[in-house]
Structures are given as C-alpha cells and as structure tokens.
Amino acid sequence: MRFFLQRIEASAHLNAFVSVYGDEALARAKTLDEKRKTGQPIGKMHGVIVGLKDVIAYKDHPLTASSKSLEGFVSIYNATVVDRLLQEEAIIIGHLNCDEFAMGSTNENSVYGKVLNALDETRVPGGSSGGSAVAVQAGLCMVSLGSDTGGSVRQPADFCGIVGFKPSYGCISRYGLIAYASSFDQIGIFTKNIPDLALTLEVIAGQDTMDSTSHYPAGTSFSGRLNEEKEVPLRIAIFKEALEHPGLDPEIKARFRKFARDLSAAGHHVEIIDFEFLDYIVPAYYILTTAEASSNLSRYDGVKYGYRSMAKTVDLTDFYKKTRSAGFGREVKRRILLGTFVLSAGYYDAYFTRAQQVRKTLVDKTNLIFNDFDIICSPTSPSTAFRIGEKMNDPISMYLADIYTVYANLTGIPGISIPLFRHTNGMPFGIQAMTSRFKELSLLQFSHRLMQQYKSYENPTL
Ligand code: GLN
C-alpha cells in the first residue's frame, strides 16, 4: 500500500486522482494483513488496490463527476460494485479524474483540469475515464473502474496501452453510478491483463435488486475458465466500412489488416462483411445520449444538493439558470442544449424518433450478424492518443472519433480493447473485439489468447 501511495505522490503531475484515501487504505491493508495471518479464508480480491472513476459512489467519500455542480457532495451509500469489491476484501485507494459527467474523449473537460498520458505527457489519455486509465497505465493502482457510455473505457485503454472492457448492458449493476445516458451506461474495468479483468468482473457482475436492468446470474465464473478448451476455428467478422473509413490512420489500418491475416493463418474463419450503417451510428449515439443526458442532468438544480449559486436571484427560474450556468462546464451545457432540442415537440420525430429507429435497426442487424459469426473485430479508435488541445475546438471531429466504440453501447453488446500494437509515433494501439450479448466468457477467452500471442514480440513493456 505504501509503495502505491508513494507512486501516486511521485505521479501527481499526471492528475489522475481527484481524491486519495491514503490513511484509510493503509489502515485497511493492515487489517487485511492481520486477518490473513490468522489463517482465515480470504476474499477473492484480498488486498487488491482499486481506483474508482469519480462517478461511482463510495459511502462517506466525495463524489463529483469532475463537475463544479457536485462540489462538496459526499455519497451517502455505496454503489453495488463498491459493496461487492469491499466484500471480497479489495482496498479502495481513491477517486479518479474524468471528463465532466463522463462526457468527452480526452479528459480535458474536467473541473480538476486535464490528465496526462504517462507514455507521452504531451498527449491526452483519452476519455472520459482518463484518470482510471492512467492510474492503471502508470501503476498507481492494480485495477480501476470506469464507465462506458460510448467508449469511455475502451478508448482510453487503447490510448494508454492497457486492457479496457465494457460488458453487456445489464451485466454490472449501475446502482450508485452517476447517470449520463441510462440506456447506454455500463461500468467497465481497466487492467493490464485478462486474468485480473476476469476476476474483477466475476466479483462485480451479476443481478442486483437495486438495478432492474441488471440480469446476469451472479457468481458466473470467468477467472477459472480462461484456458478452457474452446471451439476453434472462430467465425470472425470485420466491417468493410470500418476498415475503409477515411478517418482511419493508415498505419493502424495496415496493422489491422495484417492482424486479420494472422487470425486466418491461425485457422479462424475471417470474413470482411458489408455494414452499411456505419455512418449513422455516431449521429444516432449523440442524439440519443444527449436526450437522455438532458433529462438525467435536470436533477442538478442547486436545491437538493451540490453547487448552489449565491448570486442574487429574482425568482426560481433565475436561480436555476444562475446555478446551472455556473455549475456545468461547456461540453455538458452543449449536450444539455442538444438533448433538449432533439426532444422538443417540433423536432422530436425528426431526430429522437429517427435515432431510436436507427438503434432498433442496428440491434436487428447485429442479431443477424451473430447468427453467422462469433466475434466482430475492429480497431478501437481511428488514431492513437491525440495531442493535448488538438480536438478541443472541434467537437464534431472529437465525436466522429467514437466511430468504432459507440456501436457496442447502441446495441448492448460487450466490447473489449486489447493492447497489442505500437505505432511508429511511439504510442500504443489495440484492437476491439465484440461478441453477442452475455458472451463475456468467450470474449475474455479470445482476448486472453491474443494477449499471450502478441505480447511477447509486439509490446514487451506491457
Ligand atoms: N466519447 C464519448 C462521449 O463523449 C463516450 C463517453 C462515455 O462513454 N462516457 O460521449
């Protein structure tokens, strides 16, 4: 524990943590040590040091979604994932920086300021769970949790060269997770390898009476089954449009093509298939998520909790305006405005209804694809980590970079980013793999084999 606390202090400039619970964590480590010495059975995550994105509630600890609007707020209950981690004797080390309300792809939209990518401090770590990614990347904790509404775990994992996993919608309880877009949000996991990921998933996944959308059988085993005999060959689909996307970095594209050839050489059946909906998914995602966000964020009104403007006000509306104008950052305001617009009476059918139709079409198409295939593979992100500031004034280009990740959230399927390669610019990049809903185990088994296969020669430092 002391080793990690020292590292956190030495890496303070990366700005990954927003709160460090050092004394408590040391005390808990001591208690766990004592328990172990008595020979009693120990928890599955005994002594594992875990960081939480600043959107996951930990009783009696601050929780702000990296927003001024939640300044001073302290959680009054634990998220289900926190209860489950503590029950298995993990140690919570602190809360991690993120884009405000998990909206962003660079971690630059945080009231605590930007987070630096530890591999190149002139670059962003990705977002929105940037602090969670850097905490694992830089060895400041062993495992971290993030949230993934459109790629916020997989994309920063890709930018930082670690593993990032978003399970199926419903796999992990969202109780105690600050909502961004409730029908997309899932808690996700960052680790350096698949066995750690499998163990953490096993501990936190499963049905929870506090979240009626959770319905995974609790206690499903992942960690002991990674090396189980599996059906080889697998049927692997690659979307032609994803590979030919003009925004895709040529080097990533070439390496991904070679990766596809490697898979065929290993005996898998790899097919490049048409996916004519690719251009619709980012617009559908940003219409639906901003609509949900505009509703979810209406609760931050300065009356019940969080930041309250002390400016002189003339009436209640004026009070809300002043509080919300000062409490929310630029990107969050942009999304509330956009979401309110697409839900407004005159535009509802033109935007919201259409986007829901796109979502339904995508789900149907995805079910058909998984009749014929076990796995879909793509790059995780069209580029390696952006330079700090590079995309800040161009939100559309920032949104478009979510092209490969938002699909899994629109359709509820699991997706993982696996760090396999390194670009000539020195930055890591990986591949994304997705399976049909609740096929987490096959996805982890596939990922585990890939990590073992590629680690040794492509990315020896990981
Ligand atoms: N980059 C995406 C967005 O800005 C993803 C966010 C997320 O997954 N929380 O919405």
Side-chain angles (χ1 to χ4, degrees):
M1 195 65 242
R2 272 191 219 104
F3 167 83
F4 279 93
L5 289 172
Q6 275 160 14
R7 281 187 78 103
I8 291 172
E9 209 176 300
S11 312
H13 67 288
L14 298 175
N15 203 21
F17 279 84
V18 301
S19 309
V20 180
Y21 309 129
D23 292 343
E24 256 175 71
L26 277 170
R28 183 162 165 86
K30 196 154 173 263
T31 313
L32 292 174
D33 277 347
E34 278 155 17
K35 173 175 179 190
R36 200 171 56 250
K37 281 184 205 136
T38 66
Q40 291 176 60
I42 57 170
K44 279 189 178 179
M45 292 186 73
H46 183 90
V48 175
I49 298 169
V50 182
L52 302 174
K53 182 176 181 177
D54 190 19
V55 290
I56 298 176
Y58 181 21
K59 189 172 190 294
D60 299 330
H61 294 78
L63 181 67
T64 72
S66 293
S67 176
K68 183 176 173 175
S69 65
L70 276 170
E71 194 176 84
F73 179 74
V74 173
S75 303
I76 54 170
Y77 62 88
N78 276 339
T80 297
V81 290
V82 170
D83 272 338
R84 291 184 180 180
L85 287 170
L86 293 176
Q87 176 132 22
E88 293 297 339
E89 302 179 354
I91 305 176
I92 309 284
I93 174 79
H95 269 113
L96 296 157
N97 205 341
C98 58
D99 282 301
E100 185 179 3
F101 285 102
M103 297 176 185
S105 306
T106 61
N107 214 130
E108 292 168 293
N109 306 327
S110 162
V111 73
Y112 305 107
K114 56 185 184 282
V115 176
L116 310 183
N117 189 315
L119 277 173
D120 176 347
E121 295 180 7
T122 67
R123 293 180 191 266
V124 302
S128 64
S129 316
S132 299
V134 170
V136 168
Q137 176 197 42
L140 313 181
C141 58
M142 299 172 183
V143 172
S144 67
L145 299 188
S147 63
D148 189 312
T149 303
S152 277
V153 167
R154 289 160 288 153
Q155 182 256 25
D158 190 49
F159 281 11
C160 291
I162 59 173
V163 175
F165 175 60
K166 179 204 90 82
S168 309
Y169 186 78
C171 178
I172 297 178
S173 167
R174 290 177 294 115
Y175 181 66
L177 168 71
I178 292 183
Y180 158 18
S182 312
S183 76
F184 293 73
D185 299 338
Q186 263 295 287
I187 289 175
I189 304 167
F190 292 95
T191 56
K192 285 201 171 171
N193 58 55
I194 305 296
D196 287 358
L197 166 58
L199 182 69
T200 311
L201 181 65
E202 193 168 298
V203 167
I204 65 176
Q207 188 162 20
D208 174 21
T209 47
M210 300 307 281
D211 172 2
S212 60
T213 62
S214 70
H215 52 108
Y216 218 76
T220 305
S221 163
F222 299 105
S223 61
R225 303 178 62 187
L226 289 177
N227 293 311
E228 261 177 19
E229 215 45 65
K230 39 263 159 216
E231 315 147 24
V232 176
L234 292 168
R235 298 160 304 166
I236 300 173
I238 293 170
F239 295 159
K240 179 168 121 251
E241 289 74 8
L243 210 50
E244 288 172 359
H245 195 266
L248 179 59
D249 175 286
E251 199 174 319
I252 298 182
K253 176 172 170 173
R255 191 63 193 83
F256 187 82
R257 279 188 182 278
K258 170 148 184 350
F259 166 75
R261 290 196 298 275
D262 291 350
L263 288 173
S264 298
H268 298 301
H269 168 76
V270 180
E271 204 176 313
I272 298 187
I273 60 169
D274 284 329
F275 187 75
E276 61 276 32
F277 306 109
L278 197 72
D279 285 341
Y280 296 94
I281 66 176
V282 170
Y285 168 82
Y286 276 94
I287 287 170
L288 297 173
T289 54
T290 55
E292 292 190 27
S294 74
S295 158
N296 274 325
L297 270 61
S298 64
R299 73 191 70 177
Y300 305 104
D301 57 9
V303 175
K304 296 181 282 294
Y305 46 72
Y307 170 79
R308 168 182 297 194
S309 167
M310 288 301 162
K312 210 169 147 15
T313 51
V314 293
D315 58 18
L316 188 61
T317 305
D318 189 39
F319 167 77
Y320 288 154
K321 270 190 196 161
K322 290 201 168 106
T323 292
R324 287 165 65 81
S325 299
F328 292 133
R330 212 177 140 78
E331 180 63 23
V332 172
K333 284 181 199 159
R334 176 169 20 240
R335 294 192 190 200
I336 293 173
L337 289 172
L338 183 57
T340 308
F341 175 78
V342 300
L343 288 175
S344 60
Y347 294 98
Y348 190 97
D349 281 343
Y351 293 102
F352 187 73
T353 306
R354 290 293 288 272
Q356 291 281 45
Q357 287 164 344
V358 170
R359 190 176 198 183
K360 172 78 170 79
T361 307
L362 285 171
V363 170
D364 293 346
K365 170 82 184 171
T366 304
N367 289 337
L368 289 177
I369 293 172
F370 283 122
N371 284 339
D372 298 328
F373 294 93
D374 305 298
I375 291 187
I376 301 173
C377 276
S378 72
T380 304
S381 177
S383 72
T384 57
F386 320 132
R387 297 259 174 219
I388 290 168
E390 185 184 327
K391 301 251 180 209
M392 271 316 262
N393 294 321
D394 190 354
I396 300 285
S397 127
M398 179 113 84
Y399 296 170
L400 285 172
D402 293 334
I403 178 113
Y404 301 127
T405 50
V406 296
Y407 170 67
N409 306 77
L410 278 159
T411 54
I413 62 174
I416 187 167
S417 180
I418 318 166
L420 299 183
F421 309 122
R422 203 165 280 266
H423 197 276
T424 50
N425 67 13
M427 297 311 287
F429 67 95
I431 65 116
Q432 175 179 229
M434 295 169 280
T435 55
S436 60
R437 219 163 154 201
F438 300 128
K439 288 272 171 59
E440 269 72 11
L441 181 61
S442 331
L443 188 57
L444 296 190
Q445 289 170 336
F446 175 71
S447 309
H448 190 45
R449 266 173 290 149
L450 284 180
M451 287 284 279
Q452 286 169 327
Q453 237 169 294
Y454 283 88
K455 193 158 106 176
S456 51
Y457 68 94
E458 287 272 2
N459 213 345
T461 57
L462 286 169

